Short mmCIF file of all heavy atoms in Angstrom, two decimals:
data_model
loop_
_atom_site.label_atom_id
_atom_site.label_comp_id
_atom_site.label_asym_id
_atom_site.label_seq_id
_atom_site.Cartn_x
_atom_site.Cartn_y
_atom_site.Cartn_z
N PRO A 1 115.18 106.41 114.48
CA PRO A 1 114.30 106.30 113.32
C PRO A 1 113.19 105.28 113.58
O PRO A 1 113.40 104.27 114.24
CB PRO A 1 115.25 105.80 112.21
CG PRO A 1 116.63 106.13 112.68
CD PRO A 1 116.57 106.04 114.17
N GLY A 2 112.01 105.55 113.07
CA GLY A 2 110.93 104.58 113.19
C GLY A 2 109.80 104.99 114.10
O GLY A 2 108.78 104.31 114.17
N GLY A 3 109.97 106.08 114.83
CA GLY A 3 108.89 106.60 115.65
C GLY A 3 108.50 105.70 116.80
O GLY A 3 109.32 105.04 117.43
N LEU A 4 107.20 105.68 117.08
CA LEU A 4 106.67 104.98 118.25
C LEU A 4 106.93 103.48 118.19
O LEU A 4 107.27 102.86 119.20
CB LEU A 4 105.16 105.23 118.36
CG LEU A 4 104.45 104.55 119.53
CD1 LEU A 4 105.03 105.00 120.86
CD2 LEU A 4 102.94 104.82 119.46
N VAL A 5 106.79 102.89 117.02
CA VAL A 5 107.01 101.44 116.89
C VAL A 5 108.44 101.09 117.25
O VAL A 5 108.70 100.12 117.97
CB VAL A 5 106.69 100.98 115.45
CG1 VAL A 5 107.07 99.51 115.27
CG2 VAL A 5 105.21 101.18 115.14
N ALA A 6 109.40 101.89 116.77
CA ALA A 6 110.81 101.63 117.07
C ALA A 6 111.08 101.78 118.56
O ALA A 6 111.85 100.99 119.13
CB ALA A 6 111.69 102.59 116.27
N ARG A 7 110.44 102.76 119.19
CA ARG A 7 110.64 102.94 120.64
C ARG A 7 110.09 101.74 121.41
O ARG A 7 110.72 101.26 122.36
CB ARG A 7 109.98 104.24 121.11
CG ARG A 7 110.68 105.50 120.62
CD ARG A 7 110.27 106.70 121.45
NE ARG A 7 108.86 107.01 121.32
CZ ARG A 7 108.35 107.80 120.37
NH1 ARG A 7 109.17 108.34 119.46
NH2 ARG A 7 107.07 108.05 120.32
N GLU A 8 108.91 101.26 121.01
CA GLU A 8 108.33 100.10 121.69
C GLU A 8 109.21 98.87 121.52
O GLU A 8 109.39 98.08 122.46
CB GLU A 8 106.92 99.84 121.15
CG GLU A 8 105.91 100.92 121.55
CD GLU A 8 104.55 100.67 120.94
OE1 GLU A 8 104.47 99.83 120.01
OE2 GLU A 8 103.57 101.32 121.39
N ARG A 9 109.76 98.68 120.33
CA ARG A 9 110.65 97.54 120.10
C ARG A 9 111.91 97.66 120.95
O ARG A 9 112.41 96.66 121.48
CB ARG A 9 111.03 97.46 118.62
CG ARG A 9 109.90 96.98 117.72
CD ARG A 9 110.33 96.99 116.27
NE ARG A 9 109.26 96.49 115.40
CZ ARG A 9 109.33 96.53 114.08
NH1 ARG A 9 110.39 97.05 113.47
NH2 ARG A 9 108.33 96.06 113.37
N PHE A 10 112.42 98.86 121.08
CA PHE A 10 113.62 99.07 121.90
C PHE A 10 113.37 98.64 123.33
O PHE A 10 114.15 97.88 123.92
CB PHE A 10 114.04 100.55 121.84
CG PHE A 10 115.11 100.90 122.85
CD1 PHE A 10 116.44 100.62 122.60
CD2 PHE A 10 114.76 101.50 124.06
CE1 PHE A 10 117.42 100.93 123.53
CE2 PHE A 10 115.73 101.81 124.99
CZ PHE A 10 117.06 101.53 124.73
N TYR A 11 112.27 99.12 123.91
CA TYR A 11 111.97 98.78 125.30
C TYR A 11 111.69 97.29 125.47
O TYR A 11 112.07 96.69 126.49
CB TYR A 11 110.80 99.61 125.82
CG TYR A 11 111.14 101.07 126.00
CD1 TYR A 11 110.46 102.06 125.30
CD2 TYR A 11 112.15 101.46 126.88
CE1 TYR A 11 110.78 103.40 125.47
CE2 TYR A 11 112.47 102.80 127.06
CZ TYR A 11 111.79 103.76 126.35
OH TYR A 11 112.12 105.09 126.51
N LEU A 12 111.05 96.67 124.49
CA LEU A 12 110.79 95.24 124.56
C LEU A 12 112.10 94.45 124.53
O LEU A 12 112.28 93.48 125.27
CB LEU A 12 109.88 94.81 123.40
CG LEU A 12 109.60 93.30 123.29
CD1 LEU A 12 108.88 92.81 124.54
CD2 LEU A 12 108.76 93.01 122.03
N ARG A 13 113.03 94.88 123.66
CA ARG A 13 114.32 94.18 123.56
C ARG A 13 115.14 94.34 124.84
O ARG A 13 115.80 93.40 125.28
CB ARG A 13 115.09 94.71 122.35
CG ARG A 13 114.48 94.25 121.03
CD ARG A 13 114.95 95.06 119.84
NE ARG A 13 114.34 94.55 118.62
CZ ARG A 13 114.37 95.17 117.45
NH1 ARG A 13 114.97 96.37 117.35
NH2 ARG A 13 113.82 94.63 116.38
N VAL A 14 115.08 95.51 125.42
CA VAL A 14 115.78 95.71 126.70
C VAL A 14 115.19 94.79 127.76
O VAL A 14 115.91 94.16 128.55
CB VAL A 14 115.70 97.18 127.14
CG1 VAL A 14 116.21 97.34 128.57
CG2 VAL A 14 116.52 98.06 126.19
N ALA A 15 113.86 94.72 127.80
CA ALA A 15 113.19 93.87 128.79
C ALA A 15 113.54 92.40 128.59
O ALA A 15 113.78 91.66 129.55
CB ALA A 15 111.68 94.07 128.71
N LEU A 16 113.60 91.95 127.32
CA LEU A 16 113.96 90.56 127.04
C LEU A 16 115.41 90.27 127.42
O LEU A 16 115.72 89.21 127.98
CB LEU A 16 113.75 90.26 125.56
CG LEU A 16 112.30 90.12 125.09
CD1 LEU A 16 112.24 89.99 123.57
CD2 LEU A 16 111.64 88.92 125.75
N SER A 17 116.28 91.22 127.14
CA SER A 17 117.69 91.01 127.47
C SER A 17 117.90 90.89 128.97
O SER A 17 118.52 89.94 129.45
CB SER A 17 118.53 92.15 126.91
OG SER A 17 119.91 91.94 127.16
N LEU A 18 117.35 91.84 129.70
CA LEU A 18 117.54 91.84 131.15
C LEU A 18 116.74 90.72 131.82
O LEU A 18 117.23 90.03 132.72
CB LEU A 18 117.14 93.19 131.74
CG LEU A 18 117.92 94.41 131.24
CD1 LEU A 18 117.39 95.68 131.90
CD2 LEU A 18 119.41 94.24 131.52
N GLY A 19 115.49 90.55 131.37
CA GLY A 19 114.61 89.58 132.03
C GLY A 19 114.89 88.14 131.64
O GLY A 19 114.77 87.24 132.49
N MET A 20 115.27 87.89 130.38
CA MET A 20 115.45 86.52 129.94
C MET A 20 116.92 86.09 129.98
O MET A 20 117.28 85.13 130.66
CB MET A 20 114.90 86.32 128.52
CG MET A 20 114.98 84.87 128.05
SD MET A 20 114.06 84.60 126.52
CE MET A 20 115.07 85.55 125.39
N VAL A 21 117.78 86.81 129.28
CA VAL A 21 119.19 86.42 129.21
C VAL A 21 119.86 86.56 130.58
O VAL A 21 120.59 85.67 131.02
CB VAL A 21 119.94 87.27 128.16
CG1 VAL A 21 121.42 86.88 128.12
CG2 VAL A 21 119.30 87.10 126.79
N GLY A 22 119.58 87.67 131.27
CA GLY A 22 120.14 87.83 132.60
C GLY A 22 119.65 86.76 133.56
O GLY A 22 120.43 86.21 134.36
N SER A 23 118.38 86.39 133.45
CA SER A 23 117.82 85.35 134.31
C SER A 23 118.41 83.98 133.99
O SER A 23 118.60 83.15 134.88
CB SER A 23 116.30 85.29 134.16
OG SER A 23 115.71 86.50 134.62
N ILE A 24 118.69 83.73 132.71
CA ILE A 24 119.32 82.46 132.32
C ILE A 24 120.68 82.32 133.01
O ILE A 24 121.03 81.25 133.51
CB ILE A 24 119.47 82.37 130.79
CG1 ILE A 24 118.10 82.16 130.14
CG2 ILE A 24 120.43 81.24 130.40
CD1 ILE A 24 118.13 82.21 128.63
N GLY A 25 121.46 83.40 133.03
CA GLY A 25 122.75 83.37 133.70
C GLY A 25 122.61 83.01 135.17
O GLY A 25 123.34 82.15 135.67
N TYR A 26 121.68 83.66 135.86
CA TYR A 26 121.49 83.38 137.28
C TYR A 26 120.94 81.98 137.51
O TYR A 26 121.39 81.26 138.41
CB TYR A 26 120.54 84.41 137.90
CG TYR A 26 120.24 84.11 139.35
CD1 TYR A 26 121.18 84.45 140.35
CD2 TYR A 26 119.06 83.48 139.74
CE1 TYR A 26 120.92 84.16 141.68
CE2 TYR A 26 118.80 83.20 141.06
CZ TYR A 26 119.74 83.54 142.04
OH TYR A 26 119.49 83.25 143.34
#
């Protein structure tokens, strides 16, 4: 639900999780 905006938020959240939280662990 939410169309293009929701898709962009999804990809941004995935990028933040992998790029920021994963990097913090390492």
